[in-house]
Amino acid sequence: MKSNVGGAASKTRRKRCVSSVEPKLEVRDSSVAAAIFADCFVGLGPEREELWALTLGDGDEAGELLWLGGGEERIRIVSTTVLLPVLLTGRLSFVLAHNHPSGDPKPSLSDWTSTAALIEAADSYGLELVDHLVLGGGRYVSMRGRNAAMFEEP
C-alpha cells in the first residue's frame, strides 16, 4: 500500500468527519452506519481509497469513529491495523467501512477474504465485527446483508 496520509486538507476532512458523529446515536441497521461513513469519503480524490471503523457501545450506540488508513492504491485490511485502535477504545463491537473509488460498491473477492479473516481475528480478542460496508458512487453494500452467516458466531 502506498502511504498517502494526505496533508492538511485530508486532516481537516477527517476531523470534520469524526466530529460529525452524534453522541448516543443508535446504529440500528446498516443504513445508519452508511450515512455516518458517507461523510468520511466526501472530497476524496478519484483514486483514493480509505478505511474507517465505527465502534459501538451498549444498545448499538455510536462510539468513536476511527480513521484506519488510506492511499492512492488499493488498501489492505490488516487485522492489527484494525483491531488495535478498536481495542484501545474499550468498545467490544464495531462496523468497518471502506470506499471503492471506481464507484462500484460491490465487494471484491479480496474484501470477502480479508473480512472473513478479520472476523476470526476479532473473535480471538473478544471483539465483534458487526458489519463491513463498501461505499461507492453514492451507494453502499452491507457485507452482512449479503452474507449474514459469515458474521454469526460458529
Side-chain angles (χ1 to χ4, degrees):
M1 178 174 93
K2 196 178 189 180
S3 178
N4 183 358
V5 178
S10 289
K11 288 179 185 175
T12 299
R13 180 184 53 77
R14 288 194 301 267
K15 283 182 183 177
R16 182 194 72 235
C17 181
V18 168
S19 66
S20 71
V21 178
E22 294 178 36
K24 310 239 182 224
L25 176 67
E26 286 185 39
V27 183
R28 295 181 186 197
D29 59 42
S30 61
S31 66
V32 175
I36 292 169
F37 285 121
D39 286 341
C40 300
F41 302 113
V42 170
L44 290 180
E47 302 296 320
R48 187 165 179 82
E49 193 168 350
E50 289 193 352
L51 180 65
W52 289 79
L54 174 66
T55 63
L56 302 174
D58 297 333
D60 292 332
E61 179 181 293
E64 292 83 1
L65 189 57
L66 308 168
W67 181 74
L68 302 173
E72 298 299 322
E73 295 180 7
R74 198 172 179 180
I75 57 171
R76 288 186 4 209
I77 299 173
V78 180
S79 297
T80 53
T81 303
V82 174
L83 299 180
L84 182 59
V86 171
L87 280 166
L88 291 173
T89 69
R91 306 281 179 132
L92 298 178
S93 59
F94 65 102
V95 177
L96 195 65
H98 78 281
N99 66 306
H100 280 178
S102 68
D104 181 0
K106 180 182 176 189
S108 67
L109 179 58
S110 175
D111 292 336
W112 287 108
T113 303
S114 58
T115 300
L118 189 58
I119 289 168
E120 188 174 319
D123 186 58
S124 71
Y125 286 99
L127 299 174
E128 178 189 10
L129 174 56
V130 175
D131 201 348
H132 182 169
L133 306 179
V134 182
L135 290 84
R139 300 171 293 148
Y140 77 94
V141 171
S142 160
M143 293 178 71
R144 182 183 199 98
R146 294 268 175 106
N147 185 356
M150 177 183 195
F151 290 85
E152 301 301 323
E153 290 186 38

